[in-house]
């Protein structure tokens, strides 16, 4: 007779746990739900079933206290809110403590620019040329040339090295001119958005900056004209012209968000990759042919440059509004631009993965899929961190810095695609 309540208790225990586990699976409950221990099926448990309970027990029969997992509705045992239901009941996730956010900011450093005071004139000039853009030009040029030489190692000649270095120097000078002339005409905006830049901080005078830009443009153009064919010289001059239209009144096309991202995409995506590839093939005596990796990197970087042009104004919203400059960031807001930029990057990486799967004979499939899958995860992770930080100016500066890291990474793998 004493075994019958125990048998009923065991049966109801099993039923309750099955319902709980089923509800947990359906609602994606945390793993700890599955770690609940059922009570021992013995005589003492049976006695507890009929008497007052000192503590709730899991898996009791139909007649006991129901507060341990759910509430009785008729004859059904309803599991408590778990998974999505529990999250909705608890409200939005809490932001991390401020000390954790400060630790993350300290670990990641500042934005793309060095905000420390310049050490002397050379230090000010180095800040003036925006080193993060210099690194992008340097890596892109080196990667394209390396890719071409790895495909045709027998055509390498040491006599080509000085010419290659002169071409690289010309590109860096052109890069310096474009970012420099932009600072000359953005000095009032930069006093609000980027007060650490050399013109805004007073480390360089306006006259010195204009002189530096003039030297950069003339010297770079002369190097290209003396060392490369007219087509390359024309492309180089066209890039300087677009950079001038972008920043200098009365055109100052940066005031139009559409014109701004088109110019940046053309200069950073098409002119750089096409021009360097064309100059390299001509220098080693090969006819110009679009190889699959070069077609890929030109398309990929052009889309990536659009993302850069959209996101570069994230930290400049305050100054741009003050000067009446309309950008996507001032129109949509920091959060909208961040999500748009991340979505564009994820689309670009999916395009890379899809291209490798469709044309496996063109690419290094494991590298293309592995690298770009990791890049997608990294992009999502950094976006979520920015969400937790509330899209503050410091948060979006970190986000923009990480976009450039992803940009560098693409050129690092180009020779091996």
């Amino acid at each position: 007779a004493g075994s019958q309540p125990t048998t009923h208790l065991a049966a109801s225990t099993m039923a309750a746990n099955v319902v709980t586990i089923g509800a947990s699976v359906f609602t994606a409950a945390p793993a700890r739900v599955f770690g609940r221990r059922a009570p021992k099926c013995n005589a003492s448990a049976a006695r507890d079933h009929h008497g007052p309970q000192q503590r709730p027990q899991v898996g009791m029969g139909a007649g006991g206290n129901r507060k341990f997992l759910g509430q009785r509705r008729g004859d059904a045992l309803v599991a408590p809110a778990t998974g999505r239901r529990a999250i909705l009941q608890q409200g939005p996730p809490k932001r991390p403590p401020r000390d954790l956010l400060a630790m993350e900011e300290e670990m990641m450093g500042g934005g793309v620019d060095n905000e420390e005071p310049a050490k002397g004139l050379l230090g000010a000039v180095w800040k003036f040329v925006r080193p993060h853009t210099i690194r992008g030009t340097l890596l892109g040029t080196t990667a394209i040339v390396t890719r071409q030489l790895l495909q045709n190692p027998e055509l390498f000649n040491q006599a080509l090295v000085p010419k290659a270095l002169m071409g690289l120097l010309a590109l860096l000078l052109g890069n310096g001119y474009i970012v420099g002339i932009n600072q000359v005409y953005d000095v009032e905006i930069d006093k609000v958005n980027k007060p650490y830049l050399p013109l805004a901080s007073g480390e360089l005078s306006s006259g010195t900056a204009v002189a530096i830009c003039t030297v950069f443009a003339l010297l770079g153009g002369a190097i290209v004209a003396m060392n490369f064919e007219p087509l390359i010289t024309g492309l180089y001059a066209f890039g300087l012209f677009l950079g001038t239209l972008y920043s200098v009144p009365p055109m100052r096309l940066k005031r139009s968000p559409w014109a701004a991202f088109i110019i940046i995409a053309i200069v950073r995506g098409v002119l750089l990759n096409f021009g360097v590839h064309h100059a390299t093939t001509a220098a080693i005596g090969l006819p110009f042919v679009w190889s699959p990796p070069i077609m890929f990197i030109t398309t990929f970087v052009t889309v990536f440059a659009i993302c850069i042009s959209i996101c570069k104004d994230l930290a400049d919203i305050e100054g741009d509004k003050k000067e009446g400059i309309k950008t996507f960031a001032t129109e949509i807001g920091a959060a909208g631009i961040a999500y748009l930029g991340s979505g564009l990057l994820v689309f670009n990486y999916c395009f890379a993965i899809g291209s490798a799967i469709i044309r496996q004979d063109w690419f290094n499939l494991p590298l293309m899929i592995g690298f770009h899958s990791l890049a997608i995860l990294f992009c999502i992770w950094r976006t979520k961190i920015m969400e937790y930080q509330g899209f503050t100016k410091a948060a979006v500066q970190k986000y923009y810095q990480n976009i450039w890291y992803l940009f560098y990474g693409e050129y690092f793998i180009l020779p091996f695609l």
Side-chain angles (χ1 to χ4, degrees), residues 17 53 62 72 168 170 252 295 330 335 364 411:
N17 287 338
Q53 297 181 12
R72 182 180 179 86
L168 177 59
R252 197 161 165 75
M295 283 194 298
T330 60
N364 181 338
Y411 278 119

Side-chain angles (χ1 to χ4, degrees), residues 252-332:
R252 197 161 165 75
L253 294 180
K254 68 175 296 178
R255 291 178 294 191
S256 166
W258 293 99
F261 84 71
I262 290 173
I263 289 176
I264 293 175
I266 291 174
V267 173
R268 178 64 68 178
V270 179
L271 294 182
L272 176 65
N273 294 284
F274 170 77
V276 173
H277 178 61
H278 192 286
T280 304
T281 54
I284 61 179
L286 292 177
F288 177 81
V289 176
W290 280 107
S291 66
I294 297 300
M295 283 194 298
F296 163 76
I297 198 66
T298 301
T299 305
F300 183 93
V301 170
T302 299
V303 177
F304 208 116
I306 294 174
C307 177
I308 289 176
S309 68
I310 291 173
C311 294
K312 70 179 181 61
D313 298 317
L314 276 172
D316 299 344
I317 295 177
E318 182 182 354
D320 288 341
K321 285 184 176 180
K322 183 178 179 181
E323 293 296 321
I325 294 179
K326 290 186 178 181
T327 65
F328 285 115
T330 60
E331 297 297 311
I332 302 176

Side-chain angles (χ1 to χ4, degrees), residues 23-271:
S24 303
V25 172
F26 182 77
T27 58
R32 63 177 180 271
V33 173
F34 299 95
R36 296 184 183 271
R37 296 180 58 189
K40 297 179 181 179
C41 297
N42 51 30
S44 61
R47 288 193 299 270
D48 290 340
H49 170 67
H50 298 288
Q53 297 181 12
Q54 301 301 320
R55 57 182 299 180
Q57 298 188 25
V58 178
M60 288 180 52
N65 191 335
R66 301 292 175 197
K67 295 182 180 180
F68 54 97
L69 286 176
Q71 297 295 330
R72 182 180 179 86
R73 293 181 184 174
D75 294 329
L77 183 64
V78 181
T82 55
R84 186 180 299 275
R85 291 166 54 200
I87 291 174
L88 292 175
Q89 291 179 7
Q90 294 170 4
K94 297 180 180 179
R95 290 183 61 191
R98 292 189 62 84
D99 56 340
L100 292 181
L101 296 180
M103 182 184 301
E104 197 274 338
E105 290 184 3
E106 182 178 352
M107 290 174 61
M108 293 306 298
V112 294
D113 295 296
N114 178 16
E115 301 183 13
E116 297 296 324
K119 297 180 180 179
L121 178 61
L122 290 180
V125 172
W126 178 242
K127 288 176 65 176
F128 182 64
V129 299
R130 311 295 297 279
H132 68 280
T133 65
I134 293 292
R135 286 190 289 269
T137 301
L138 181 63
L139 282 172
T141 304
T142 304
I144 294 172
V145 173
T146 302
R147 171 75 194 187
Q148 195 66 28
L149 292 178
L150 287 177
Q151 286 184 316
N152 305 278
E154 71 282 357
L155 299 178
F156 174 74
N157 188 338
Q158 291 185 355
L160 297 174
V161 174
K163 185 174 183 178
L165 293 177
M166 294 300 290
L168 177 59
L169 176 59
L171 288 172
L172 296 180
L173 290 170
N175 190 114
Y177 166 79
I178 291 174
V179 298
I181 201 67
N182 182 62
Q183 292 174 68
V184 169
Y185 290 94
D186 268 3
V187 62
E188 294 302 322
I189 301 175
D190 289 338
K191 287 180 180 179
V192 178
N193 294 332
K194 303 182 181 77
Y196 46 81
L197 290 179
L199 275 175
S201 65
E203 294 169 335
L204 277 181
S205 67
S206 179
T208 302
V210 171
I212 291 172
C213 290
T214 302
V215 171
F216 282 171
L218 294 178
L219 184 57
I223 291 174
V224 175
M226 291 188 296
N227 291 275
F228 298 95
E229 60 184 280
L231 174 61
I232 301 301
T233 304
L235 291 175
Y236 187 87
F238 182 57
L240 297 183
F241 175 69
L242 289 178
T244 303
L245 291 180
Y246 178 85
S247 300
V248 179
M251 297 301 293
R252 197 161 165 75
L253 294 180
K254 68 175 296 178
R255 291 178 294 191
S256 166
W258 293 99
F261 84 71
I262 290 173
I263 289 176
I264 293 175
I266 291 174
V267 173
R268 178 64 68 178
V270 179
L271 294 182

Side-chain angles (χ1 to χ4, degrees), residues 384-403:
K384 298 300 293 183
I385 288 179
M386 185 169 50
E387 283 182 352
Y388 279 125
Q389 293 175 333
F391 298 98
T392 62
K393 185 172 182 178
V396 297
Q397 284 177 330
K398 304 292 187 304
Y399 174 76
Y400 184 59
Q401 181 188 51
N402 281 272
I403 289 178

